[in-house]
């Protein structure tokens, strides 16, 4: 199976290095210093499950150099979706599937503007990983869950077989990915918003009475907005999510918090910003998510972008 990772950051880099380490035919699409480091030194994964070092990887900045593949794992930041979707077309043949492992609820629709909808498969990850430095991926917790749609798709079935041969990828294929995307969206918007705004690991946040109330408020607002949009959460969703926040490694922060610390552009518009916008649309007050959105908005474009005054 020929697999291309469109985006080699926290998620794409993690999944790609796990697949490549198991002997699969993986091509990485990267750019900038990360691309250069991967060309010169390969790709390293630092993981609580055991480190992986690939001295050589197939990496390029030009998808046309890869050619047609069986599966494109689309793992770029949401703000790069339009340009990246156009860029992958040289890798997409009539039988190619494009699996989006992006955050939020908008990835499938954005990708389908360039790729036929029937070739796009939605997915969600419960992985905490980020680029620690060029050529190095850091996995911040032991979570390895990947969920995808396409339960009757032969390409996705083959991908499931491929993942079963790799360490550190717990893949589950489901009949309907949409409820899972909404559940991940509500959870991640709270987790990203809280850890980014407070610049703390989730453990410190949940250990403080007042900041824990704020996290629960973020969750409650997301649950209310999702229900208004026709995507009610399971009855125990909030309790399970709070329990998850208490169980994961206490120093864990969302990738958006790492991006904020490094002065990179943020996915704010598609997380707390999206819930703020949906709340306005549905007539539901979202004071916590609105506070996150407005407080982080000056940082949304990264410190070096003219729109951020940098």
């Amino acid at each position: 199976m020929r697999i291309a990772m469109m985006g080699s950051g926290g998620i794409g880099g993690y999944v790609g290095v796990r697949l490549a380490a198991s002997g699969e035919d993986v091509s990485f699409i990267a750019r900038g210093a990360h691309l250069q480091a991967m060309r010169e030194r390969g790709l390293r994964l630092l993981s609580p499950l055991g480190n992986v070092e690939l001295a050589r990887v197939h990496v390029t900045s030009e998808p046309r150099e890869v050619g047609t593949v069986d599966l494109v794992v689309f793992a770029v930041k949401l703000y790069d979706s339009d340009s990246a979707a156009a860029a992958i077309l040289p890798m997409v043949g009539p039988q190619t599937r494009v699996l989006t492992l992006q955050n939020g609820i908008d990835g499938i629709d954005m990708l389908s503007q360039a790729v036929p909808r029937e070739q796009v498969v939605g997915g969600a990850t419960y992985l905490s990983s980020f680029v620690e430095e060029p050529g190095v991926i850091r996995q911040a917790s032991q979570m390895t869950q990947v969920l995808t749609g396409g339960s009757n798709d032969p390409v996705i079935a083959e991908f499931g077989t491929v993942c079963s041969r790799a360490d550190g990828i717990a893949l589950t294929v489901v009949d309907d990915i949409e409820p899972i995307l909404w559940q991940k969206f509500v959870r991640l918007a709270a987790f990203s918003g809280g850890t980014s705004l407070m610049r703390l690991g989730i453990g410190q946040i949940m250990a403080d009475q007042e900041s824990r109330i704020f996290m629960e408020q973020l969750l409650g607002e997301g649950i209310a907005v999702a229900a208004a949009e026709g995507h009610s959460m399971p009855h125990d969703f909030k309790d399970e999510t709070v329990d998850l926040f208490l169980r994961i490694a206490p120093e864990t922060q969302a990738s958006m918090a790492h991006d904020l610390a490094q002065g990179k552009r943020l996915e704010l518009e598609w997380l707390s910003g999206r819930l703020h916008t949906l709340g306005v649309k549905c007539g539901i007050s979202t004071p916590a998510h609105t506070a996150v959105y407005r407080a982080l908005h000056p940082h949304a474009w990264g410190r070096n972008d003219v729109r951020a005054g940098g």
Side-chain angles (χ1 to χ4, degrees):
M1 189 177 197
R2 298 197 70 221
I3 302 170
M5 311 304 301
M6 185 60 183
S8 301
I11 299 302
Y14 177 86
V15 174
V17 77
R18 290 293 189 186
L19 294 174
S22 70
E24 300 300 333
D25 182 353
V26 180
S27 296
F28 294 87
I29 312 299
R31 61 188 181 184
H34 196 40
L35 167 67
Q36 190 63 30
M38 291 170 70
R39 282 175 170 165
E40 294 175 357
R41 302 186 296 274
L43 186 59
R44 295 173 61 205
L45 171 66
L46 306 179
S47 167
L49 303 176
N51 298 340
V52 178
E53 185 164 353
L54 301 177
R56 299 185 66 181
V57 293
H58 182 210
V59 59
T60 179
S61 61
E62 298 294 338
R64 65 175 179 272
E65 294 179 4
V66 177
T68 302
V69 298
D70 300 300
L71 179 73
V72 177
V73 177
F74 196 77
V76 304
K77 295 291 188 179
L78 285 158
Y79 47 74
D80 284 331
S81 290
D82 291 342
S83 59
I88 67 170
L89 295 181
M91 301 189 295
V92 178
Q95 303 305 317
T96 302
R97 296 296 180 268
V98 182
L99 171 62
T100 170
L101 296 183
Q102 297 172 282
N103 294 325
I105 51 173
D106 300 299
I108 294 174
D109 289 340
M110 295 168 75
L111 189 51
S112 297
Q113 298 298 310
V115 178
R117 176 63 184 87
E118 63 271 16
Q119 292 180 245
V120 177
V121 180
T125 66
Y126 282 92
L127 297 168
S128 181
S129 53
F130 58 94
V131 177
E132 183 168 84
E133 62 182 82
V136 179
I137 305 295
R138 168 75 68 175
Q139 183 183 7
S141 76
Q142 297 190 33
M143 295 186 294
T144 63
Q145 190 176 27
V146 179
L147 303 106
T148 81
S151 59
N152 297 313
D153 191 305
V155 176
I156 297 301
E158 186 177 1
F159 182 57
T161 300
V162 164
C163 289
S164 71
R165 296 196 292 258
D167 293 329
I169 303 177
L171 182 76
T172 302
V173 182
V174 300
D175 292 329
D176 186 4
I177 194 66
E178 190 171 29
I180 291 170
L181 295 180
W182 274 85
Q183 290 170 29
K184 167 75 182 291
F185 169 55
V186 172
R187 281 193 176 112
L188 181 64
F191 186 73
S192 291
T195 59
S196 298
L197 185 65
M198 289 182 258
R199 274 77 160 176
L200 293 172
I202 189 63
Q204 286 180 271
I205 293 171
M206 297 302 287
D208 181 88
Q209 181 178 359
E210 293 300 322
S211 56
R212 176 169 172 163
I213 290 171
F214 186 71
M215 293 299 294
E216 293 183 2
Q217 186 178 357
L218 290 169
L219 277 173
E221 291 173 9
I223 291 168
V225 169
E229 285 289 294
H231 301 281
S232 295
M233 298 293 109
H235 73 280
D236 56 353
F237 175 82
K238 186 173 182 178
D239 290 341
E240 284 192 355
T241 302
V242 169
D243 182 62
L244 174 65
F245 289 172
L246 292 169
R247 285 188 290 107
I248 59 180
E251 69 277 10
T252 304
Q253 294 180 305
S255 61
M256 191 169 81
H258 292 288
D259 290 341
L260 176 66
Q262 296 173 32
K264 296 180 179 179
R265 191 174 172 187
L266 308 180
E267 291 186 309
L268 179 67
E269 194 74 32
W270 294 269
L271 295 172
S272 285
R274 189 78 162 94
L275 280 168
H276 164 77
T277 302
L278 288 172
V280 172
K281 171 192 167 188
C282 299
I284 294 175
S285 178
T286 60
H289 277 291
T290 298
V292 169
Y293 177 56
R294 289 176 174 163
L296 294 181
H297 197 268
H299 307 278
W301 290 89
R303 67 169 65 103
N304 295 320
D305 192 279
V306 293
R307 283 161 289 195

